[in-house]
Amino acid sequence: MNKILFLAVGLAITTVSSFTSVAHAVGVFGTPRFISPGSGAIGFEPELILSNGAGVGANVRYQYGLTDLNNVQAILGTGSGPRKFRVGGNATFDFFPDVEGQPGIGIATQAIYYRLKEGRGMLEVTAIPYLHKAFISGSNEIEPYIAIPFGGNFSEGRYEATSTFSVGSMFKSTESIRYLVELGVAINHAESYVSGGLIYYH
């Protein structure tokens, strides 16, 4: 798993110079971490946009465990740079749980409405396939993940295909709190970004 993460990050970094155009995807953040039915989590996600009119932003996310295979998440945020206000949500389908000897594999479907710097609106619809695995040593826990969000932007009668490569990790602080860091590299009509933050599980 560590070799896969290393190779994927290396590939993304060596090809980032060829990525142009404008991306509007929010980070993957805590989406890959599945929570049990009836449980909830609230996260705060500051972000730094690295390309196409750099800026800063912040998102608040609320995740809820719906069934044994499904989580849902609401997203609300704002920022400077190319994207301003945004609101939306996603639904996660956890096909293979993260258990001993097996990474967690799933996909999220996500829709977010943005107000952009130019004042126009845009709807972004994406699928987010992801892979994650928790590594536990005593009271320490690290959970790296990889995701490749792809989909499309719809604005003023126009459509653009989008894709991003995202890699990150969650770090356990207490049973209820985890910290997170994430890097997103634009592939097609997307922005490169760095985000992080914390998630409170209750």
Side-chain angles (χ1 to χ4, degrees), residues 71-97:
N71 282 185
V72 291
Q73 188 176 99
I75 303 166
L76 179 66
T78 190
S80 66
R83 51 192 169 128
K84 306 293 185 180
F85 173 79
R86 76 292 307 260
V87 62
N90 66 39
T92 303
F93 305 90
D94 209 52
F95 300 122
F96 299 99

Side-chain angles (χ1 to χ4, degrees), residues 104-118:
I105 301 172
I107 189 168
T109 56
Q110 181 167 278
I112 298 186
Y113 173 78
Y114 295 92
R115 293 300 296 177
L116 304 180
K117 183 170 63 174
E118 314 88 65

Side-chain angles (χ1 to χ4, degrees), residues 15-62:
T15 55
V16 70
S17 61
S18 67
F19 300 148
T20 59
S21 67
V22 180
H24 304 283
V26 299
V28 177
F29 201 60
T31 298
R33 182 172 177 80
F34 190 76
I35 58 176
S36 58
S39 298
I42 187 164
F44 176 65
E45 176 193 19
E47 60 183 3
L48 175 63
I49 306 302
L50 303 175
S51 59
N52 301 308
V56 296
N59 303 303
V60 175
R61 297 170 176 254
Y62 184 76

Side-chain angles (χ1 to χ4, degrees), residues 1-191:
M1 183 66 178
N2 289 337
K3 289 181 179 178
I4 293 172
L5 281 173
F6 179 78
L7 290 172
V9 171
L11 175 63
I13 290 172
T14 56
T15 55
V16 70
S17 61
S18 67
F19 300 148
T20 59
S21 67
V22 180
H24 304 283
V26 299
V28 177
F29 201 60
T31 298
R33 182 172 177 80
F34 190 76
I35 58 176
S36 58
S39 298
I42 187 164
F44 176 65
E45 176 193 19
E47 60 183 3
L48 175 63
I49 306 302
L50 303 175
S51 59
N52 301 308
V56 296
N59 303 303
V60 175
R61 297 170 176 254
Y62 184 76
Q63 186 174 356
Y64 181 75
L66 198 61
T67 72
D68 289 334
L69 295 175
N70 307 107
N71 282 185
V72 291
Q73 188 176 99
I75 303 166
L76 179 66
T78 190
S80 66
R83 51 192 169 128
K84 306 293 185 180
F85 173 79
R86 76 292 307 260
V87 62
N90 66 39
T92 303
F93 305 90
D94 209 52
F95 300 122
F96 299 99
D98 177 5
V99 295
E100 186 175 349
Q102 171 186 292
I105 301 172
I107 189 168
T109 56
Q110 181 167 278
I112 298 186
Y113 173 78
Y114 295 92
R115 293 300 296 177
L116 304 180
K117 183 170 63 174
E118 314 88 65
R120 64 187 172 94
M122 185 187 72
L123 176 65
E124 180 185 75
V125 179
T126 54
I128 309 172
Y130 61 81
L131 174 73
H132 67 113
K133 180 64 181 170
F135 297 94
I136 302 170
S137 176
S139 61
N140 299 314
E141 181 178 330
I142 299 174
E143 186 172 354
Y145 60 87
I146 295 173
I148 305 177
F150 67 93
N153 295 333
F154 301 87
S155 179
E156 298 178 338
R158 297 192 303 266
Y159 165 79
E160 273 184 335
T162 64
S163 55
T164 308
F165 174 83
S166 300
V167 60
S169 186
M170 286 177 273
F171 304 88
K172 178 181 175 182
S173 175
T174 68
E175 289 300 325
S176 299
I177 296 175
R178 280 172 170 75
Y179 295 99
L180 186 146
V181 63
E182 180 176 317
L183 169 67
V185 178
I187 297 174
N188 184 37
H189 296 102
E191 295 161 346

